[in-house]
Amino acid sequence: MAEREVDVAIIGAGTAGMTAFRAAREHTDDVWLIDPGPLGTTCARVGCMPSKLLIAAADAAHHVEAAAGFGVHAGAPRIDGPAVMQRLRAERDRFVGFVLEAVQRWPQERILRQRARFVAPMTLQLEGGERLRAGRIVIATGSSPIVPPDWREALGDRLLTSDDVFEWTDLPRSLAVVGAGVIGLELGQALSRLGVKVRILDRGGRPGGLTDPRVLEHARGLLASRLPLALQASVERVERDGEGVRVCWTRDGQAHEERFDALLCAIGRAPNLDGLDLDAAGLPRDARGRLQASADTARVGDSAVFVAGDAGTRRMLLHEAADEGRIAGDNAGRYPDVRAHPRGTGLAVVFSDPQIAIAGRSHAELEADGVEFACGALDFDDQGRSRVMRRNAGLIRVYGERHTGRFLGAEMIAPAAEHLAHLLAWSVHAGMTVQQMLDAPFYHPVIEEGVRSALRELNRALLMGPPPIERCLDCGPGA
Ligand SMILES: Cc1cc2nc3c(=O)[nH]c(=O)nc-3n(C[C@H](O)[C@H](O)[C@H](O)COP(=O)(O)OP(=O)(O)OC[C@H]3O[C@@H](n4cnc5c(N)ncnc54)[C@H](O)[C@@H]3O)c2cc1C
Ligand SMILES: NC(=O)c1ccc[n+]([C@@H]2O[C@H](COP(=O)([O-])OP(=O)(O)OC[C@H]3O[C@@H](n4cnc5c(N)ncnc54)[C@H](O)[C@@H]3O)[C@@H](O)[C@H]2O)c1
């Protein structure tokens, strides 16, 4: 059997694998990227980009309906499903094209379009029969939607995941969405706004991954008023009903049953490790069979194997995959001179309406770490600029460290949360105190004035500032 000795083998050519490839090649040319394809990354093909394209169409429909609140009457929007999906797929293909162009610029002989699995420590078997013995290996195989096997068996092709949605040529009439995590909320709300009869069911009560009890309570009420959302709903049975599906669930002791065209399963994603035959790799794994890599080196134990992106155990987010790919690739390239790279500040955004975001450390993380912290809050109901735009719904809570006044993080369901969260994550990243943030300029009238009000309350709670002046003039009317 052909066996090739190589310096670095990278399994998976998604975002993490591609950044790892680039970083490792700074140290050696003998770097091999292995992926059966289709290339183009989850982000561009079936993730971040197509989901945001669907949300953009939904927002357009929503703005038409919301215009009446300003006295502007455009009539009921007519949704052309095939046109919505056609634009989505065309733009999606454009984004995928950019990724493919980048791969095509690399030395093609170093890209092996095959699936890999371990047959021994540091030895990979490729589908085509060849074996690679690698000095270092980066595992960047991404993740896949979790689908209960009995649901798949019962529903067949009427069970969909986010991987299927962006291939649609038209919108369905109705859809059960199971899971109100990031994917369920984003896709469920967008489809609902595009006229699909949607019901979102979640067995838990933490939509969008929020952890702050007050923000959570606010979010539950706000989302339930805008979305067909049932939290703490337990799906008891799913079955095929002709061309559609029947979903039976219970909530508060009450049984419900409803028929839909299909069921979108959005109950989480699991790292793609099953096909790797990790037992043969001799790598330490946790109780769930996942690879535990050091956050700042991406290295698994004291092995020469590194993990990056969704294949690891940290947050499944694009910028995390890119960072980890860079760290894993750099360390695989320079091995054994492994270096620690400080990790970026936490930042997560759900593109629902209102958006949900966590910047810096979450409430749950601060509690788990035993940090002494205080909170400030602002309800956007009366926030000046938000009210002007009829987007005055949401709550932000900001956290600061007692004794030092250091700003630690925030959770929110808020208008323009994607922007507020960046501002706040950057403040955490820069190590700012709450007072330093308050000394920075705030324009008027802007949504950020709401953040200032929350920070003033926080500074007071830290005993580092005066009591906020109710309806103060420099906050702008209503801020
Ligand atoms: C619907 C959806 C929306 C999202 N929206 C956002 C968003 O708005 N913002 C955000 O930050 N994140 C978002 N994400 C998450 C983000 O897309 C992922 O965190 C990121 O793309 C993961 O990149 P990766 O490199 O780890 O995996 P991938 O890009 O999936 O790459 C993994 C690669 O490994 C290959 N592979 C697997 N097994 C093998 C094997 N045995 N041998 C060889 N190759 C193999 C696969 O073919 C694949 O090409 C979204 C995800 C989804 C599903
Ligand atoms: N905007 C973004 O950044 C973005 C967008 C989409 C996806 N992503 C990434 O993809 C990951 C996966 O997203 P996801 O939404 O699939 O997972 P998730 O972990 O965010 O949410 C899964 C939800 O499903 C619920 N659930 C689990 N089992 C269930 C069951 N049997 N019945 C009913 N509900 C059940 C859970 O309570 C949870 O609320 C996210 O964690 C995120 O990292 C990010």
Side-chain angles (χ1 to χ4, degrees):
M1 181 168 306
E3 186 164 303
R4 197 196 299 253
E5 297 263 341
V6 305
D7 277 354
V8 179
I10 296 168
I11 315 174
T15 302
M18 288 174 68
T19 51
F21 184 73
R22 248 188 248 115
R25 281 177 58 83
E26 294 289 317
H27 303 278
T28 165
D29 284 339
D30 195 22
V31 183
W32 298 75
L33 188 58
I34 310 163
D35 195 317
L39 303 182
T41 74
T42 287
C43 171
R45 218 177 253 293
V46 288
C48 329
M49 302 314 283
S51 59
K52 267 72 259 177
L53 285 160
L54 190 74
I55 291 168
D59 285 349
H62 176 69
H63 290 146
V64 174
E65 287 190 348
F70 295 92
V72 177
H73 300 279
R78 185 182 65 81
I79 311 291
D80 178 347
V84 167
M85 295 311 299
Q86 202 275 333
R87 180 200 182 238
L88 182 153
R89 282 182 285 111
E91 290 295 319
R92 184 271 316 265
D93 290 348
R94 205 166 152 268
F95 291 125
V96 170
F98 295 145
V99 179
L100 297 181
E101 275 171 30
V103 177
Q104 270 152 18
R105 282 196 290 271
W106 293 343
Q108 295 302 298
E109 68 281 5
R110 291 282 192 265
I111 301 173
L112 305 174
R113 299 290 300 272
Q114 297 183 53
R115 191 163 291 281
R117 64 184 170 85
F118 283 87
V119 284
M122 306 312 289
T123 307
L124 298 175
Q125 175 73 55
L126 305 187
E127 275 169 327
E130 193 181 10
R131 279 192 179 180
L132 290 192
R133 243 199 97 62
R136 291 85 77 188
I137 293 175
V138 175
I139 298 175
T141 47
S143 64
S144 297
I146 298 169
V147 176
D150 52 329
W151 291 11
R152 169 66 74 204
E153 201 180 316
L155 302 184
D157 64 0
R158 294 285 142 163
L159 187 148
L160 308 174
T161 69
S162 54
D163 287 351
D164 303 303
V165 168
F166 311 115
E167 283 307 317
W168 289 345
T169 50
D170 197 355
L171 296 167
R173 279 165 306 163
S174 61
L175 192 68
V177 178
V178 184
V182 193
I183 294 180
L185 278 184
E186 288 189 355
L187 299 187
Q189 187 177 41
L191 291 168
S192 171
R193 287 184 162 183
L194 288 167
V196 180
K197 190 194 95 178
V198 167
R199 184 167 303 284
I200 308 174
L201 304 167
D202 196 295
R203 68 179 178 193
R206 289 181 36 185
L210 287 164
T211 74
D212 184 309
R214 280 189 52 198
V215 183
L216 257 175
E217 195 190 333
H218 203 91
R220 285 188 202 112
L222 195 48
L223 292 170
S225 71
R226 294 179 175 212
L227 274 170
L229 170 67
L231 296 173
Q232 258 126 26
S234 170
V235 174
E236 306 294 347
R237 205 172 69 250
V238 298
E239 59 196 29
R240 192 75 187 233
D241 182 352
E243 286 303 294
V245 302
R246 187 161 292 281
V247 181
C248 308
W249 77 93
T250 52
R251 186 168 181 246
D252 293 335
Q254 293 230 318
H256 304 263
E257 196 174 313
E258 210 170 340
R259 189 183 186 282
F260 302 90
D261 282 358
L263 181 148
L264 177 67
C265 187
I267 62 172
R269 294 176 65 87
N272 291 329
L273 300 177
D274 285 352
L276 287 176
D277 286 350
L278 284 176
D279 286 344
L283 294 168
R285 284 191 280 162
D286 68 14
R288 291 199 292 170
R290 300 188 179 195
L291 291 164
Q292 293 284 353
S294 145
D296 53 7
T297 63
R299 184 178 182 185
V300 180
D302 59 2
S303 72
V305 176
F306 302 82
V307 184
D310 285 13
T313 48
R314 278 175 58 92
R315 284 171 283 224
M316 292 182 177
L317 297 174
L318 189 275
H319 65 278
E320 300 276 1
D323 283 356
E324 286 168 11
R326 215 171 295 117
I327 294 170
D330 178 59
N331 277 332
R334 65 168 57 253
Y335 184 87
D337 175 22
V338 170
R339 303 263 171 97
H341 298 251
R343 296 308 303 269
T345 302
L347 176 61
V349 177
V350 183
F351 294 86
S352 50
D353 179 22
Q355 295 177 338
I356 291 169
I358 302 179
R361 286 158 84 183
S362 71
H363 192 273
E365 282 167 347
L366 292 172
E367 293 221 308
D369 294 346
V371 178
E372 277 191 71
F373 68 104
C375 306
L378 179 99
D379 186 325
F380 283 88
D381 185 45
D382 232 358
Q383 202 274 325
R385 182 65 187 283
S386 308
R387 206 166 171 98
V388 164
M389 298 186 292
R390 290 178 55 82
R391 294 174 67 192
N392 53 316
L395 181 80
I396 183 168
R397 287 241 292 170
V398 289
Y399 318 124
E401 190 174 48
R402 289 201 184 278
H403 314 302
T404 65
R406 206 158 53 92
F407 181 63
L408 297 171
E411 292 197 26
M412 69 200 84
I413 177 162
E418 65 178 280
H419 304 300
L420 303 185
H422 273 85
L423 196 73
L424 294 172
W426 291 8
S427 303
V428 174
H429 194 71
M432 291 175 84
T433 63
V434 178
Q435 186 60 54
Q436 283 171 328
M437 293 164 76
L438 284 168
D439 290 341
F442 285 81
Y443 208 74
H444 173 70
V446 293
I447 295 174
E448 285 76 358
E449 287 174 295
V451 174
R452 180 174 58 186
S453 299
L455 289 172
R456 282 182 171 158
E457 192 179 288
L458 172 58
N459 222 19
R460 179 62 189 162
L462 291 167
L463 306 178
M464 291 181 178
I469 310 159
E470 192 127 344
R471 305 227 174 251
C472 66
L473 273 185
D474 71 338
C475 303

